Amino acid sequence: MEKSFEDALKELEVIVKELESGNVELDSAIDKYTEAMKLAKYCSEKLKNATDKVNKILTENKELVDFDIEGGTNE
């Protein structure tokens, strides 16, 4: 089962706090760092996918168009 963005982010935050504490043995720190990098990549991909979806909006004639944050829809 795929984890949610929020769950992955919470896991990442826990790992970062553990690593920042300095109370982690080297081998464990390497494993935690590797897991943190995987979680960071996963979160980044989830955000990109969400951004891609948000950048598409439904127009009045039911066509998907790119969304321009600064100027509304691109028509």
Side-chain angles (χ1 to χ4, degrees), residues 48-59:
K48 183 187 178 317
N49 289 339
T51 299
D52 290 346
K53 288 179 183 178
V54 168
N55 284 335
K56 296 285 187 180
I57 62 170
L58 193 56
T59 62

Side-chain angles (χ1 to χ4, degrees), residues 12-61:
L12 182 56
E13 289 171 347
V14 168
I15 293 172
V16 168
K17 286 179 183 177
E18 289 174 354
L19 291 173
E20 287 179 339
S21 76
N23 297 327
V24 181
E25 293 181 6
L26 180 60
D27 288 337
S28 180
I30 292 169
D31 291 341
K32 288 180 182 295
Y33 179 80
T34 301
E35 181 63 20
M37 294 307 296
K38 289 177 186 176
L39 288 165
K41 181 179 178 187
Y42 177 80
C43 288
S44 177
E45 289 172 357
K46 290 288 263 186
L47 281 176
K48 183 187 178 317
N49 289 339
T51 299
D52 290 346
K53 288 179 183 178
V54 168
N55 284 335
K56 296 285 187 180
I57 62 170
L58 193 56
T59 62
E60 293 160 352
N61 61 359

